Amino acid sequence: MATLFRPDGTANPAYLKLDLYCKGLRIDASCELGEDARDIIRNRAGLGSGLEVIIGRDMYTNIPVVEWWCSVSPYVLVKNGERYEIWLGNVGQASSLPAAEGGDKTELSRLEACPTRYTSLDRSAKNRGPFVATLDKSRARFVDTVVIPPEPLWYKQKTTSGKLMQRIGCLQGTYLGIYWGPRCQNWGPRGENEFCKFCTEGQNLGTQEEAVKSIADVVETVIAARKESKITFVHFNTGFIDSNDYWGLFADVIKAVKDATGLLVGVQAPPDADFENYRKFKELGVNNVSFCFEVMDEERFVEIGPGKARRAGLKRYLEAIDFCANKVGFDTVNGEIIAGLESTESSKRAIDWIASHGAIPTVCVFRPVFGAAYGQLDPPAVEDMLPVFSHFYETVMKHGLPIGIAPNVKVSLIMLPEECRELTAAPNAYKLTRTKLWALKTLFGAYFKATVKA
Ligand code: SF4
C-alpha cells in the first residue's frame, strides 16, 4: 500500500493530497494567508470549504482547515521565508509526538494512522478553525514544499450590475465553478429536511454566493477569469428544481458563455425530465455532463439523500449516465460518488459500474463540514480511502477512458484519476495507455487553441 514517504524519503504527492482531505491542516503562526492565499469560500455543497494549495508540480487541492476535526491534524502549514511548507508536527498535548527526521519513525506512523483521535473532540460549531499551531520543528518532520496560489485580482472586481465576481463564480483549482439557478429545492420551501446529509448548498447560496445572478454577470466573470487566470473550462452546477427541466434552466446562459468565449463547458445537474434534452446540450457545445449519485448502496442512497431519492432515485441517475455516455456523444460524461459514505466495496462497485458504461468516475472524499447533517461525523480514514482510489486509477486505465485530456484543468476538490497513479502498487504500468492519452491531450490542446475565442 502507498505511504506518505517514498523509499528515498521524498513525499508522495498523491498520498499527501488524499491524506490532507482525510485529516485537514493546521496553520502555524508564521503563515500570512490573509495576504498570500485565496479567500476560503464555502461552496459546491460545502466541499470547497478549505484552503487552495498546490502540492508537488501541479496537484491542486482544497485542504480542510476550518472543520472541528482539523484541530488535531498532524499536518501543519508553515511559512519559511517566502516558501510554504507542510510538516508533520506535534498534535495538541499528545505525549508521544512525531519524531524529527531520523528519529522514532514508529511513533510517526502511529500518529499518521491514529484512528481514535476524534473521540474526545468538541464537534460543535464553536470548535471552528483555522486552527493555529506553533510548530516545534525539532519534534516534527518536513513533508514537502507547497505553493499557495494567490487570489486573482478579478475576485475583487465587480460586474456591471455591481456584484463581486468571486460571488458569481470561483476557481476550484484552475477551472471556474458557477452555481446557476435557484436554491436546490431539497432545501425548501417544500423540500425541508430532504437535503443531502453531507451538503450545505442551501446555506451557502445568498451568503457565500450570489443567490441571483444574471447572464451578463456570468459572462463578465468568465471573461475576467479567462483573461487573468487563463481558465479553459467553466463548470456549471445546480440543485433540484421541481420541473427537472435543466435544459430550460441552462440553455441561455451556456449559449451566452459559449458565444462569448468558446471555452469548454460542463454541466452538473440532476437527471433531466426529458433525456432528449441532452442532445440539445450537445448541439449547444456542452463538452461534459456529470451526475452526482454519491453511493451505489441503495439503502444508503435513500438515507443520505431523501430528496434525491424521492425526486429521481438511483436508477434514474444511472440511466442518465448510460444515456449520455452511450447515446449522445459528449466529450466526456462523469458519474460522481463520495468515498467514505458507504463501504469500500460499494464504492469500488460504483467505480466499476460507471467505467463499464463508458463514463469517467469522479470520486470525492467525504468531508464532514459545518452545517451539514453529517457535519459531526468522523472524516474517513486514509487507510480506507487508499484501496478505493487505487482501484479507481486501475479501472480507468483498464477501460482506456479519456482522462486528463482537457488543457489546464486541475481540480482541487477531488483526486483526478491521473493523480492516483502513485497510490497503486505498480505506478509504471499502463505505459501504452498513458502514451495514447498524452497524444490525445496534445491533439485536443491544439484544437482548443484554434477554436477558443476569448
Ligand atoms: S441535490 Fe443534494 S447535494 Fe445537490 S444541492 Fe441538493 S441537497 Fe445538495
Side-chain angles (χ1 to χ4, degrees), residues 137-195:
K137 285 189 180 169
S138 69
R139 308 188 77 189
R141 182 172 178 183
F142 171 76
V143 178
D144 207 355
T145 301
V146 295
V147 173
I148 307 290
E151 183 168 280
L153 296 174
W154 64 263
Y155 264 33
K156 296 293 183 273
Q157 260 172 251
K158 289 191 171 170
T159 64
T160 308
S161 70
K163 290 183 172 146
L164 205 57
M165 288 188 178
Q166 75 172 39
R167 289 173 58 84
I168 302 295
C170 79
L171 295 177
Q172 287 155 344
T174 59
Y175 76 92
L176 184 70
I178 298 177
Y179 187 94
W180 181 255
R183 187 165 78 151
C184 171
Q185 291 176 354
N186 284 337
W187 288 84
R190 289 186 301 279
E192 279 87 355
N193 302 323
E194 284 201 322
F195 46 80

Side-chain angles (χ1 to χ4, degrees), residues 5 56 110 112 141 306 340:
F5 293 105
R110 188 200 64 76
E112 279 175 53
R141 182 172 178 183

Side-chain angles (χ1 to χ4, degrees), residues 37-82:
R38 296 177 185 171
D39 279 352
I40 292 172
I41 303 171
R42 197 164 165 253
N43 55 10
R44 292 271 150 152
L47 270 189
S49 63
L51 180 68
E52 293 272 317
V53 173
I54 307 170
I55 297 172
R57 206 154 46 98
D58 57 0
M59 216 179 256
Y60 279 74
T61 185
N62 182 285
I63 307 175
V65 288
V66 296
E67 286 76 19
W68 58 271
W69 40 277
C70 303
S71 65
V72 290
S73 172
Y75 291 108
V76 180
L77 183 71
V78 177
K79 189 168 187 187
N80 181 3
E82 289 305 302

